[in-house]
Amino acid sequence: MPPQQLHLTILTGASRGMGLAMALQLLSPQRHLLCISRHINSELADAAQKLDAPLTQWAQDLADTVGAADRLQSWLNDLKTSEHTSATLINNAGVIPRIGPLDECPPDDLANALRVGLEAPMQLTAAFLRATSAWVNAGWRGPRKVLNISSGLGRHAMAAQAPYCAAKAGMDHFTRCSALDEAEREHGARLVSLAPGVIDTDMQQQLRAGDPAAFPDLERFMELKRQGQLTAPADAAARVLACLDRPDFGKNPVADVRD
C-alpha cells in the first residue's frame, strides 16, 4: 500500500498570536506542518497529538537568517517528494522594535527588526523556491505557494515605526519581484503578500503601551481597542487561510483581506 500523500506547510512565527491560531487551524492528518519559531509551543504539540496530525517544530532564531534558510533548504532536500501533494511557505514572523523616531531606535533593535521582518522572509523564500524548484525539475508537479504576511503599515507610513513599516514595504515589493520571476518559469510558484487587517495580538498591546510623546498615533490604536475594531487572532487566521485556498491565489501579488 503506498504511503499517504500529505500537503506540506511551513509557517514562521507560529508560537503565539495569529501565527499560533493559523498553526492550530492548519493541523490535519492530511498535512505535514513545520513551524519555525523562537520557542516550541506545547499547546500546539498537544493539539497535533490529539488530531494525529504530523507536526514538526523548530526552535530557531530567525535573526540568524542564513542559518534558518540553510536549515530549511537542507530539510526540504531530504524530503521524499512522492509523499507530498503541495508545498506552501507562510512567512508570518515579525518584530516591532522600540516605538519612537528612527534616531531613537537602538541599533541592535533596528537590525533585528529588519532581519526578522524582511531578510528572513527573503532568505526563507529563496531557500523554499530553490529546493522545490529541484522537485519540479525532477518531475514533481504539485502546487507551490508563498504567502507573506504583510501589513497596511507597509503601504501607509506611520510615525515612530520606521523599521517595521520599511520591513513590510520591502516584503510587499520583493513579493512582486519574485512573482514576476516565477511567472517566467514553467510550473512556477505563486506568491502573495497579504495584509491581514488589525488583529488583537501582543503587537497591538505593545503599540498601546507606547510613550505618547514618542508615538503620535497612540490614541488611534487605543480607540481601535475601545471600539472593538480589532479582529480576534482565530478569526484573522481563518480569513488569511481562506485567501491562501482561493483558486485565484497569486493573481494579485500584493493584497489585503479587507479588499
Side-chain angles (χ1 to χ4, degrees):
M1 183 176 178
Q4 179 187 11
Q5 288 192 313
L6 301 169
H7 297 288
L8 171 65
T9 301
I10 303 150
L11 172 64
T12 69
S15 63
R16 61 181 184 171
M18 190 181 74
L20 176 58
M22 282 195 289
L24 291 168
Q25 293 177 29
L26 285 165
L27 289 175
S28 165
Q30 288 77 47
R31 183 187 313 277
H32 185 179
L33 179 62
L34 167 62
C35 293
I36 307 174
S37 306
R38 289 191 67 186
H39 305 289
I40 300 297
N41 187 286
S42 58
E43 176 190 355
L44 185 58
D46 291 343
Q49 186 175 26
K50 290 176 182 177
L51 292 171
D52 195 23
L55 171 68
T56 301
Q57 293 195 75
W58 291 351
Q60 173 72 51
D61 185 358
L62 290 174
D64 177 10
T65 60
V66 174
D70 286 348
R71 185 179 183 184
L72 177 61
Q73 185 165 350
S74 177
W75 186 81
L76 288 170
N77 288 342
D78 289 340
L79 287 182
K80 293 182 180 179
T81 57
S82 61
E83 296 179 0
H84 297 90
T85 59
S86 69
T88 300
L89 169 65
I90 305 175
N91 285 306
N92 168 70
V95 173
I96 290 183
R98 181 182 297 181
I99 299 169
L102 181 63
D103 57 309
E104 296 179 8
C105 184
D108 287 347
D109 286 6
L110 172 58
N112 186 64
L114 292 175
R115 287 194 190 107
V116 175
L118 179 56
E119 186 181 341
M122 293 185 75
Q123 292 278 16
L124 292 172
T125 298
F128 175 82
L129 293 175
R130 276 193 296 267
T132 58
S133 290
W135 298 3
V136 171
N137 292 337
W140 185 82
R141 289 295 179 264
R144 297 179 295 143
K145 300 179 183 179
V146 177
L147 175 61
N148 291 321
I149 304 301
S150 184
S151 169
L153 294 181
R155 301 156 202 180
H156 306 283
M158 184 178 76
Q161 270 303 297
Y164 184 81
C165 292
K168 293 304 185 183
M171 174 178 275
D172 285 349
H173 214 49
F174 100 72
T175 302
R176 291 186 182 99
C177 295
S178 294
L180 291 172
D181 292 334
E182 290 300 304
E184 295 297 317
R185 294 172 173 169
E186 190 175 6
H187 306 295
R190 290 179 284 164
L191 297 92
V192 172
S193 186
L194 182 70
V198 188
I199 307 164
D200 197 5
T201 63
D202 291 347
M203 282 190 176
Q204 283 290 318
Q205 294 180 20
Q206 187 177 347
L207 288 169
R208 293 195 299 271
D211 179 1
F215 187 26
D217 287 292
L218 175 62
E219 183 56 32
R220 178 164 68 90
F221 285 90
M222 299 289 287
E223 192 64 18
L224 287 172
K225 179 67 172 178
R226 284 194 292 265
Q227 294 185 3
Q229 295 183 22
L230 300 178
T231 305
D235 294 336
R239 293 169 67 183
V240 166
L241 296 178
C243 291
L244 185 64
D245 289 337
R246 287 173 58 105
D248 63 349
F249 178 87
K251 181 178 180 181
N252 296 316
V254 174
D256 191 305
V257 294
R258 295 162 289 192
D259 291 341

